[in-house]
Amino acid sequence: MSELAIFIADDEAPARGRLRELLDDIAQEVPTRVVGEARNGLEAIERVPESGAQVLLLDIQMPGMGGIEVARHLARLPQAPAVVFVTAHDRHAVEAFELNALDYLLKPVRGERLAAALRKAMAAGPTAAAPLARAAGQAREYLSAAERNRIVLVPLRDVLYFKAELKYVTLRTREREHLIEESLVALEREFADRFVRIHRNCLVAKGAIRGFERAADEDDEPRWLTVLDGLEERLPISRRQWPTLRDLVAEK
Amino acid sequence: MTSIRQNVYPDALPDFRNLGVIARVLLGVNVLALAAAVYAAPAWPQFMEQFVGAAAYLEPLLLGSVVLLYAFAPLLARLPYWPGCAAVLGLVLLLAAGSHAWWLGASGILRTLALAALLVALLLGYLRLLAKAYSPALAEARLQALQARIRPHFLFNSLNAVLALIRRDPKRAERTLEDLADLFRTLMSDGRQFVRLADEIALLERYASIEQLRLGDRLRVVWELDAAPPDALLPPLLLQPVLENAIYHGVEPGTDTGEVLVRIEQRGQRVVARIENPYYPDHQHRVGNRMALANIGERLQLFFDAEASLEAGVRNGRYVVQVELPYRSREARRA
């Protein structure tokens, strides 16, 4: 049996040490090899793709980015690792987080449980995105795109707009565009407090709206365009969305 | 004190040095005097005159009594309840008799004494009822303190950290378990008994050393305790939850080193404790902070009434919690 490539992500050094010890203890049963470690969520996103890890032991409460969001981004990798969450939450919290659909271990972790979780994770393969999204319970702080074998993160606060185009959604920041594989409807639902729909195919960041410009009338009816902070491009507002937008700006 | 007390809430004389008690006495007597003036005034418009007339006679005696009781408070506190009440009554009657004789001579002195005795009885009864009403709340406070304190996240992470130490550094593992034991002993102790500030500080240090083990370089605690009066009395676990919050909200969310300041000092007759931590606005959704603070505020009020204060807020990008309490040492209070 070949060795299983494991990646450990936990912000507490003793916790990482403990997992390594346990992996040693169960080496007879489940041979493993630790291919990398991370001390926080962003480090994990950076290091996991190139580590070739098959299983990721992932702490849920980490600074920077929590474990569940990390798993959601890593799920975009062509060869995403199977994820086993590790948490010091009590059972109530575990239920509240809907983690039951996922593999998780409670700290302090026992050797037997770890071995069982590793075997199960290998049999099940990469963790699916849908239960992760359900478990997240709150909006992501970052959006992500898989580029070759790495994950590019875009902080949500940098996003000016999302625009749906055929198969992809284009995400625009001040600097550049990214293509992400998500649906505009799901984005609208997840980020309802920070983004507003201005058109059938477009969501803009509420905080980035500077004002509206009137475009040349085509058929008597005035058409409005959105002016966004730091962007030359003007985005058309549909007639249907115009009253909502007008009210939103009036509230400010 | 060591035996199990059947009567959990023994009657106790009010603390005559407590601002809340003094305010209630002053207010109570004046409200009664006002009521008497309204009743005694021949016609509605004259009641104010009546009150002012009565006040000129009443206020010196009232203020004198308050000062007298303030002065004798430590002695009175040593007496059992009923003899204590008798002593309070005696002191006030003595003062009333003295001042009446001084100003008005012997005539009508019985009326003055009867009135004073009635007022004393009324106020002592009122303060006793008030204490009774608070007593279940004090028991509740203990429970709340307990429940609010055992954050499962902390307990399980600490146990996990100790497990990680057992093979590599058994000595440190032992020490950490001892620290945890001390912490939990205090958590489960009687929350109604005052502790010495030195003990609360020792607890803070134990708690911090457990957190240090988990968080390593990410946690830096700066202690400024040179001016802390070790013998000051305070309810147990008053400051530990504040430090726990500081670390939970101010250090754990960060990837870099977070500095927590713990400064405790005596300023005149006040003890001022200040705990500061880095502020992460995005992490305010971690609820529980306000709950813990509300719990501390409630306990401060139960123990010190109006004399203690709790302030929390963001200052210069740091989250600051400041607790102020009156300085009391063992001598000033019945053990």
Coordinates of all heavy atoms in Angstrom, one line a residue, chain B residues 60-124:
Chain B
P60 N -30.2 68.1 58.6 CA -29.0 68.0 59.4 C -28.9 66.6 60.1 O -27.9 66.0 60.1 CB -29.1 69.1 60.4 CG -30.1 70.1 59.8 CD -31.0 69.3 58.9
L61 N -30.1 66.2 60.6 CA -30.2 64.9 61.3 C -29.9 63.8 60.3 O -29.1 62.9 60.6 CB -31.5 64.8 61.9 CG -31.8 63.5 62.7 CD1 -30.7 63.3 63.7 CD2 -33.2 63.5 63.3
L62 N -30.5 63.9 59.1 CA -30.3 62.8 58.1 C -28.8 62.7 57.7 O -28.2 61.6 57.7 CB -31.1 63.2 56.9 CG -31.0 62.3 55.6 CD1 -31.3 60.8 56.0 CD2 -31.9 62.7 54.5
L63 N -28.2 63.9 57.3 CA -26.8 63.9 56.9 C -25.9 63.4 58.1 O -25.0 62.6 57.9 CB -26.4 65.3 56.4 CG -27.1 65.7 55.1 CD1 -26.7 67.1 54.8 CD2 -26.8 64.7 54.0
G64 N -26.2 63.9 59.2 CA -25.5 63.5 60.4 C -25.5 62.0 60.6 O -24.5 61.3 60.8
S65 N -26.7 61.4 60.4 CA -26.8 59.9 60.6 C -26.0 59.2 59.5 O -25.3 58.2 59.8 CB -28.3 59.5 60.4 OG -29.1 60.2 61.3
V66 N -26.1 59.7 58.3 CA -25.4 59.0 57.2 C -23.9 59.0 57.5 O -23.2 58.0 57.4 CB -25.7 59.7 55.8 CG1 -24.7 59.3 54.8 CG2 -27.1 59.4 55.4
V67 N -23.4 60.2 57.9 CA -21.9 60.3 58.3 C -21.6 59.4 59.4 O -20.6 58.7 59.4 CB -21.6 61.8 58.6 CG1 -20.2 61.9 59.2 CG2 -21.7 62.7 57.4
L68 N -22.4 59.4 60.4 CA -22.2 58.6 61.6 C -22.1 57.1 61.2 O -21.2 56.4 61.6 CB -23.3 58.8 62.6 CG -23.0 58.4 64.0 CD1 -21.9 59.2 64.6 CD2 -24.3 58.5 64.9
L69 N -23.1 56.7 60.4 CA -23.1 55.3 60.0 C -21.9 54.9 59.1 O -21.4 53.8 59.1 CB -24.4 54.9 59.3 CG -25.6 54.9 60.2 CD1 -26.9 54.8 59.4 CD2 -25.5 53.8 61.2
Y70 N -21.5 55.9 58.3 CA -20.3 55.7 57.4 C -19.1 55.5 58.3 O -18.4 54.5 58.1 CB -20.1 56.9 56.6 CG -19.0 56.8 55.5 CD1 -19.3 56.4 54.2 CD2 -17.7 57.0 55.9 CE1 -18.4 56.3 53.3 CE2 -16.7 56.9 54.9 CZ -17.0 56.5 53.6 OH -16.1 56.4 52.7
A71 N -19.0 56.3 59.4 CA -17.8 56.2 60.2 C -17.8 54.8 61.0 O -16.8 54.2 61.1 CB -17.8 57.3 61.2
F72 N -19.0 54.4 61.4 CA -19.1 53.2 62.2 C -19.3 51.9 61.3 O -19.4 50.8 61.9 CB -20.2 53.2 63.2 CG -19.9 54.1 64.4 CD1 -20.2 55.4 64.5 CD2 -19.2 53.4 65.5 CE1 -19.8 56.1 65.6 CE2 -18.8 54.2 66.6 CZ -19.2 55.5 66.7
A73 N -19.3 52.1 60.0 CA -19.6 50.9 59.1 C -18.7 49.7 59.4 O -19.3 48.6 59.5 CB -19.5 51.4 57.7
P74 N -17.4 49.8 59.6 CA -16.6 48.6 59.8 C -17.0 47.9 61.1 O -17.0 46.7 61.1 CB -15.2 49.2 59.9 CG -15.2 50.5 59.2 CD -16.6 51.1 59.5
L75 N -17.3 48.7 62.1 CA -17.7 48.1 63.4 C -19.0 47.4 63.3 O -19.2 46.3 63.7 CB -17.7 49.2 64.5 CG -16.4 49.7 65.0 CD1 -16.6 50.9 66.0 CD2 -15.6 48.6 65.6
L76 N -20.0 48.1 62.6 CA -21.3 47.6 62.5 C -21.3 46.3 61.7 O -22.0 45.3 62.0 CB -22.2 48.6 61.8 CG -22.6 49.8 62.6 CD1 -23.3 50.8 61.7 CD2 -23.5 49.4 63.7
A77 N -20.4 46.2 60.7 CA -20.3 45.1 59.8 C -19.9 43.8 60.6 O -20.2 42.7 60.1 CB -19.3 45.3 58.7
R78 N -19.3 44.0 61.7 CA -18.8 42.8 62.5 C -20.0 42.2 63.3 O -19.9 41.1 63.8 CB -17.7 43.2 63.4 CG -16.4 43.4 62.6 CD -15.1 43.3 63.4 NE -14.1 43.9 62.6 CZ -13.4 44.9 63.0 NH1 -13.5 45.4 64.2 NH2 -12.5 45.5 62.2
L79 N -21.0 43.0 63.5 CA -22.1 42.5 64.4 C -23.0 41.6 63.6 O -23.2 41.7 62.4 CB -22.9 43.7 64.9 CG -22.2 44.6 65.8 CD1 -23.1 45.8 66.1 CD2 -21.9 43.9 67.1
P80 N -23.7 40.6 64.3 CA -24.7 39.8 63.6 C -25.9 40.8 63.2 O -25.9 41.9 63.7 CB -25.2 38.8 64.7 CG -24.1 38.8 65.7 CD -23.4 40.2 65.6
Y81 N -26.8 40.2 62.4 CA -27.8 41.1 61.8 C -28.6 41.9 62.9 O -28.7 43.1 62.8 CB -28.7 40.3 60.9 CG -29.7 41.2 60.2 CD1 -29.3 42.1 59.2 CD2 -31.1 41.2 60.5 CE1 -30.1 43.0 58.6 CE2 -31.9 42.1 59.8 CZ -31.5 42.9 58.9 OH -32.3 43.8 58.2
W82 N -29.4 41.2 63.8 CA -30.3 41.9 64.6 C -29.6 42.8 65.6 O -30.0 44.0 65.8 CB -31.2 40.9 65.4 CG -32.2 40.3 64.4 CD1 -32.2 39.0 64.0 CD2 -33.2 41.0 63.6 NE1 -33.2 38.8 63.0 CE2 -33.8 40.0 62.8 CE3 -33.7 42.3 63.5 CZ2 -34.9 40.3 61.9 CZ3 -34.7 42.6 62.7 CH2 -35.3 41.6 61.9
P83 N -28.6 42.4 66.3 CA -27.8 43.3 67.2 C -27.3 44.5 66.3 O -27.3 45.7 66.8 CB -26.6 42.5 67.7 CG -27.1 41.1 67.6 CD -28.0 41.0 66.5
G84 N -26.9 44.3 65.1 CA -26.5 45.3 64.2 C -27.6 46.4 64.0 O -27.3 47.6 64.1
C85 N -28.8 45.8 63.7 CA -29.9 46.7 63.5 C -30.1 47.6 64.8 O -30.4 48.8 64.7 CB -31.2 46.0 63.2 SG -31.2 45.2 61.6
A86 N -30.1 46.9 65.9 CA -30.2 47.6 67.2 C -29.2 48.7 67.3 O -29.5 49.9 67.8 CB -30.2 46.7 68.4
A87 N -28.0 48.4 67.0 CA -26.9 49.4 67.1 C -27.1 50.6 66.2 O -26.9 51.7 66.5 CB -25.6 48.7 66.7
V88 N -27.6 50.3 64.9 CA -27.9 51.4 64.0 C -29.0 52.3 64.6 O -28.9 53.5 64.6 CB -28.4 50.8 62.6 CG1 -28.9 51.9 61.7 CG2 -27.2 50.0 61.9
L89 N -30.0 51.6 65.1 CA -31.1 52.4 65.7 C -30.6 53.2 66.8 O -30.9 54.4 66.9 CB -32.2 51.4 66.2 CG -33.5 52.0 66.7 CD1 -34.2 52.7 65.6 CD2 -34.4 50.9 67.3
G90 N -29.8 52.6 67.7 CA -29.3 53.3 68.8 C -28.5 54.5 68.4 O -28.7 55.6 69.0
L91 N -27.6 54.4 67.4 CA -26.8 55.5 67.0 C -27.6 56.6 66.5 O -27.4 57.8 66.8 CB -25.8 55.0 65.8 CG -24.6 54.2 66.2 CD1 -23.9 53.7 65.0 CD2 -23.7 55.2 67.0
V92 N -28.6 56.3 65.6 CA -29.5 57.3 65.0 C -30.3 58.0 66.1 O -30.4 59.3 66.2 CB -30.4 56.7 64.0 CG1 -31.4 57.8 63.5 CG2 -29.6 56.2 62.8
L93 N -30.8 57.3 67.1 CA -31.6 57.9 68.1 C -30.8 58.8 69.0 O -31.2 59.9 69.4 CB -32.3 56.8 69.0 CG -33.4 56.0 68.3 CD1 -34.1 55.0 69.2 CD2 -34.5 57.0 67.7
L94 N -29.6 58.3 69.3 CA -28.7 59.2 70.1 C -28.4 60.5 69.4 O -28.5 61.6 70.0 CB -27.3 58.4 70.2 CG -26.6 58.5 71.5 CD1 -27.5 57.9 72.6 CD2 -25.3 57.8 71.5
L95 N -28.2 60.4 68.1 CA -28.0 61.6 67.3 C -29.2 62.5 67.3 O -29.1 63.8 67.5 CB -27.6 61.3 65.9 CG -27.1 62.4 65.0 CD1 -25.7 62.8 65.5 CD2 -27.0 62.0 63.6
A96 N -30.4 61.9 67.1 CA -31.6 62.6 67.1 C -31.9 63.3 68.4 O -32.2 64.5 68.4 CB -32.8 61.7 66.7
A97 N -31.7 62.6 69.5 CA -31.9 63.1 70.8 C -31.0 64.3 71.0 O -31.4 65.4 71.5 CB -31.7 62.1 71.9
G98 N -29.7 64.1 70.7 CA -28.7 65.1 70.9 C -29.1 66.4 70.1 O -29.1 67.5 70.7
S99 N -29.4 66.2 68.8 CA -29.6 67.4 68.0 C -30.9 68.1 68.4 O -31.0 69.4 68.4 CB -29.6 67.1 66.5 OG -30.7 66.2 66.2
H100 N -31.9 67.3 68.8 CA -33.2 67.9 69.2 C -33.0 68.8 70.5 O -33.4 69.9 70.6 CB -34.2 66.8 69.5 CG -35.6 67.4 69.7 ND1 -36.5 67.5 68.7 CD2 -36.1 67.9 70.9 CE1 -37.6 68.0 69.3 NE2 -37.4 68.3 70.5
A101 N -32.2 68.2 71.4 CA -32.0 68.9 72.7 C -31.2 70.1 72.4 O -31.5 71.2 73.0 CB -31.2 67.9 73.6
W102 N -30.3 70.1 71.5 CA -29.4 71.2 71.2 C -30.2 72.4 70.6 O -30.0 73.5 71.0 CB -28.3 70.8 70.2 CG -27.4 71.8 69.7 CD1 -27.5 72.6 68.6 CD2 -26.2 72.3 70.4 NE1 -26.5 73.5 68.5 CE2 -25.7 73.3 69.6 CE3 -25.6 71.9 71.6 CZ2 -24.5 74.0 69.9 CZ3 -24.4 72.6 71.9 CH2 -23.9 73.6 71.1
W103 N -31.1 72.1 69.7 CA -31.8 73.1 69.0 C -33.1 73.5 69.7 O -33.5 74.7 69.8 CB -32.1 72.8 67.6 CG -31.1 73.2 66.7 CD1 -30.6 74.4 66.5 CD2 -30.3 72.3 65.8 NE1 -29.6 74.4 65.6 CE2 -29.4 73.1 65.1 CE3 -30.4 71.0 65.5 CZ2 -28.5 72.6 64.2 CZ3 -29.5 70.5 64.6 CH2 -28.6 71.3 63.9
L104 N -33.9 72.5 70.1 CA -35.3 72.8 70.6 C -35.5 72.5 72.1 O -36.6 72.6 72.5 CB -36.2 71.9 69.8 CG -36.1 72.1 68.2 CD1 -36.8 71.0 67.5 CD2 -36.6 73.5 67.8
G105 N -34.5 72.0 72.7 CA -34.7 71.7 74.2 C -35.4 70.4 74.3 O -35.5 69.6 73.4
A106 N -36.0 70.2 75.5 CA -36.6 68.9 75.8 C -38.0 68.7 75.2 O -38.4 67.6 75.0 CB -36.6 68.7 77.3
S107 N -38.7 69.8 74.9 CA -40.1 69.6 74.5 C -40.2 68.9 73.2 O -39.4 69.3 72.2 CB -40.8 70.9 74.5 OG -40.4 71.7 73.4
G108 N -41.1 68.0 73.0 CA -41.3 67.3 71.8 C -40.2 66.3 71.4 O -40.2 65.8 70.3
I109 N -39.4 66.0 72.3 CA -38.2 65.1 72.0 C -38.7 63.7 71.7 O -38.2 63.0 70.8 CB -37.2 65.1 73.1 CG1 -35.9 64.5 72.6 CG2 -37.7 64.3 74.3 CD1 -34.7 64.8 73.4
L110 N -39.8 63.3 72.4 CA -40.3 61.9 72.1 C -40.8 61.7 70.7 O -40.6 60.7 70.1 CB -41.4 61.6 73.1 CG -40.9 61.1 74.5 CD1 -42.1 60.9 75.5 CD2 -40.0 59.9 74.4
R111 N -41.5 62.8 70.2 CA -42.0 62.7 68.9 C -40.9 62.6 67.9 O -40.9 61.7 67.0 CB -42.8 64.0 68.6 CG -43.8 63.8 67.4 CD -44.7 65.0 67.3 NE -44.1 66.1 66.6 CZ -44.6 66.6 65.5 NH1 -45.7 66.2 65.0 NH2 -43.9 67.6 64.9
T112 N -39.8 63.3 68.1 CA -38.7 63.2 67.2 C -38.1 61.8 67.2 O -37.8 61.2 66.2 CB -37.6 64.3 67.6 OG1 -38.1 65.5 67.6 CG2 -36.3 64.1 66.8
L113 N -37.9 61.3 68.4 CA -37.3 60.0 68.6 C -38.2 58.9 67.9 O -37.7 58.0 67.2 CB -37.1 59.6 70.0 CG -36.0 60.4 70.7 CD1 -35.9 60.0 72.2 CD2 -34.7 60.3 70.0
A114 N -39.5 59.0 68.1 CA -40.4 58.1 67.5 C -40.3 58.1 66.0 O -40.3 57.1 65.3 CB -41.9 58.4 67.9
L115 N -40.3 59.4 65.4 CA -40.2 59.5 64.0 C -38.9 58.9 63.5 O -38.9 58.2 62.5 CB -40.3 61.0 63.6 CG -41.6 61.5 63.2 CD1 -41.6 63.0 63.0 CD2 -42.1 60.8 61.9
A116 N -37.8 59.2 64.1 CA -36.5 58.7 63.7 C -36.5 57.2 63.8 O -36.0 56.5 62.8 CB -35.4 59.3 64.6
A117 N -37.1 56.6 64.8 CA -37.1 55.2 65.0 C -37.9 54.5 63.8 O -37.5 53.5 63.2 CB -37.6 54.8 66.3
L118 N -39.0 55.2 63.5 CA -39.9 54.6 62.4 C -39.1 54.7 61.1 O -39.1 53.7 60.3 CB -41.1 55.5 62.3 CG -42.3 55.1 63.2 CD1 -43.4 56.0 63.1 CD2 -42.7 53.6 62.8
L119 N -38.4 55.8 60.8 CA -37.7 55.9 59.6 C -36.6 54.9 59.5 O -36.4 54.3 58.5 CB -37.1 57.3 59.5 CG -38.1 58.4 59.0 CD1 -37.4 59.8 59.0 CD2 -38.5 58.1 57.6
V120 N -35.9 54.7 60.6 CA -34.8 53.7 60.6 C -35.3 52.3 60.3 O -34.8 51.6 59.5 CB -34.0 53.7 61.9 CG1 -33.1 52.5 62.1 CG2 -33.2 55.0 62.1
A121 N -36.4 52.0 61.0 CA -37.0 50.7 60.8 C -37.4 50.5 59.3 O -37.2 49.5 58.7 CB -38.2 50.5 61.7
L122 N -38.1 51.5 58.8 CA -38.6 51.5 57.4 C -37.4 51.2 56.4 O -37.5 50.4 55.6 CB -39.3 52.8 57.1 CG -40.4 52.7 56.1 CD1 -41.5 51.8 56.5 CD2 -40.9 54.1 55.8
L123 N -36.4 52.0 56.6 CA -35.3 52.0 55.7 C -34.5 50.6 55.8 O -34.1 50.0 54.8 CB -34.3 53.1 55.9 CG -34.8 54.4 55.3 CD1 -34.0 55.6 55.8 CD2 -34.8 54.3 53.8
L124 N -34.3 50.2 57.1 CA -33.6 48.9 57.2 C -34.4 47.8 56.6 O -33.9 46.9 55.9 CB -33.4 48.6 58.7 CG -32.2 49.3 59.3 CD1 -32.1 49.1 60.8 CD2 -30.9 49.0 58.6

